[in-house]
Amino acid sequence: MPKTKMVDFEEFLQMDKENEHRLEYFDGEVVYLESPSVKHQQVLLNIAAEFRNYFRGKSCEIFISPLDVWLKNEEKTAKVKVQPDLMVICDKTGLMENAYEGVPVLVIEIISTSNQTHDRIRKYSTYMEFGINEYWMVNPELKTVEVYVLEENEYKQAAIYKGSDCAASQTFNELKICLEEIFPSNNN
């Protein structure tokens, strides 16, 4: 589990400016993110390349970490800053020079043993609470992709993909990513 610390919002903003670490903020709790592994970066780059090809010429755009995302919707007063590994943003009105304020349509987190609880519990419930339509959890060790879709304000598991499967988005028609294309071979 990543290291955490409790601080008020103003203190967090100061920490965030002065800290060389990547930080997330969950309405009072600061989470220090570890540097990603080589395998994590390989998988992220492979997924980003597939997503970039799909979204080329479309109105939605993909972004990869590190990009601060201040989750914001009309019903929530909580202050939450996350850095998803990959996100699809369709409402670009919240894009700023160094951050995004709003709710991405789709978020992907690449999980590892050190951040699994954070991604499976904290981010899962936060993304669901803020209304992110689709959440993918990618596990490079197990070479699986879990896809969750928001239905009636709760995530429902659409599928778990493994082996020679192709993971399919439930939000974007014809967005499919074959797992053999995103997971590095064993000799890397």
Side-chain angles (χ1 to χ4, degrees), residues 28-29 33 42 48 53 59 67 97 102 118 134 138 152 154 161 165 174 180 183 186 188:
E29 186 175 1
L33 300 176
Q42 290 170 324
N53 288 338
S59 62
L67 177 69
E97 185 177 341
H118 184 60
E134 193 167 337
V138 177
E152 298 173 11
E154 291 208 18
Y161 299 98
D165 292 345
E174 299 177 20
E180 293 170 336
F183 293 117
N186 291 334
N188 283 349

Side-chain angles (χ1 to χ4, degrees), residues 38-51 108 110 136-140 143-146 161-163 165-167 176-185 188:
V38 168
K39 188 182 282 190
H40 176 284
Q41 292 297 81
Q42 290 170 324
V43 170
L44 176 58
L45 184 59
N46 291 340
I47 293 170
E50 297 290 324
F51 268 64
I108 295 178
I110 299 169
W136 292 24
M137 279 188 270
V138 177
N139 188 325
K143 296 186 177 183
T144 59
V145 175
E146 300 171 39
Y161 299 98
K162 59 185 186 264
D165 292 345
C166 294
K176 290 189 169 127
I177 297 177
C178 295
L179 274 56
E180 293 170 336
E181 296 291 320
I182 62 170
F183 293 117
S185 62
N188 283 349

Side-chain angles (χ1 to χ4, degrees), residues 67 95-99:
L67 177 69
L95 283 173
M96 298 172 273
E97 185 177 341
N98 297 316

Side-chain angles (χ1 to χ4, degrees), residues 27 73-79 130:
D27 207 27
N73 72 20
E74 301 312 313
E75 297 95 48
K76 305 294 172 210
T77 58
K79 296 193 182 322
F130 277 87

Side-chain angles (χ1 to χ4, degrees), residues 69-84:
V69 176
W70 288 95
L71 293 176
K72 182 178 179 180
N73 72 20
E74 301 312 313
E75 297 95 48
K76 305 294 172 210
T77 58
K79 296 193 182 322
V80 176
K81 183 192 106 170
V82 290
Q83 286 193 354

Side-chain angles (χ1 to χ4, degrees), residues 5-188:
K5 179 180 181 177
M6 297 301 290
V7 299
D8 68 28
F9 184 64
E10 296 305 320
E11 187 179 351
F12 171 73
L13 292 176
Q14 192 62 38
M15 283 176 67
D16 204 24
K17 280 184 200 168
E18 298 169 353
N19 203 309
E20 72 275 2
H21 294 285
R22 293 173 42 225
L23 304 176
E24 293 183 325
Y25 185 75
F26 294 86
D27 207 27
E29 186 175 1
V30 178
V31 177
Y32 295 82
L33 300 176
E34 293 182 13
S35 293
S37 68
V38 168
K39 188 182 282 190
H40 176 284
Q41 292 297 81
Q42 290 170 324
V43 170
L44 176 58
L45 184 59
N46 291 340
I47 293 170
E50 297 290 324
F51 268 64
R52 184 169 185 264
N53 288 338
Y54 175 83
F55 284 102
R56 184 174 277 129
K58 294 182 172 65
S59 62
C60 297
E61 195 170 344
I62 68 158
F63 293 88
I64 59 171
S65 184
L67 177 69
D68 292 343
V69 176
W70 288 95
L71 293 176
K72 182 178 179 180
N73 72 20
E74 301 312 313
E75 297 95 48
K76 305 294 172 210
T77 58
K79 296 193 182 322
V80 176
K81 183 192 106 170
V82 290
Q83 286 193 354
D85 290 314
L86 185 144
M87 69 222 81
V88 177
I89 294 173
C90 298
D91 176 6
K92 297 181 195 170
T93 58
L95 283 173
M96 298 172 273
E97 185 177 341
N98 297 316
Y100 175 71
E101 188 175 277
V103 179
V105 175
L106 186 151
V107 165
I108 295 178
E109 294 289 359
I110 299 169
I111 60 175
S112 66
T113 50
S114 67
N115 71 0
Q116 194 164 173
T117 304
H118 184 60
D119 290 340
R120 288 194 174 282
I121 297 171
R122 164 67 61 70
K123 284 190 167 179
Y124 176 95
S125 60
T126 301
Y127 293 161
M128 182 170 56
E129 180 184 335
F130 277 87
I132 293 174
N133 195 56
E134 193 167 337
Y135 179 34
W136 292 24
M137 279 188 270
V138 177
N139 188 325
E141 295 303 318
L142 298 177
K143 296 186 177 183
T144 59
V145 175
E146 300 171 39
V147 175
Y148 297 88
V149 180
L150 198 61
E151 292 178 10
E152 298 173 11
N153 299 320
E154 291 208 18
Y155 278 140
K156 305 288 189 243
Q157 188 176 69
I160 299 178
Y161 299 98
K162 59 185 186 264
S164 60
D165 292 345
C166 294
S169 171
Q170 305 299 299
T171 305
F172 299 101
N173 292 334
E174 299 177 20
L175 173 56
K176 290 189 169 127
I177 297 177
C178 295
L179 274 56
E180 293 170 336
E181 296 291 320
I182 62 170
F183 293 117
S185 62
N186 291 334
N187 56 9
N188 283 349

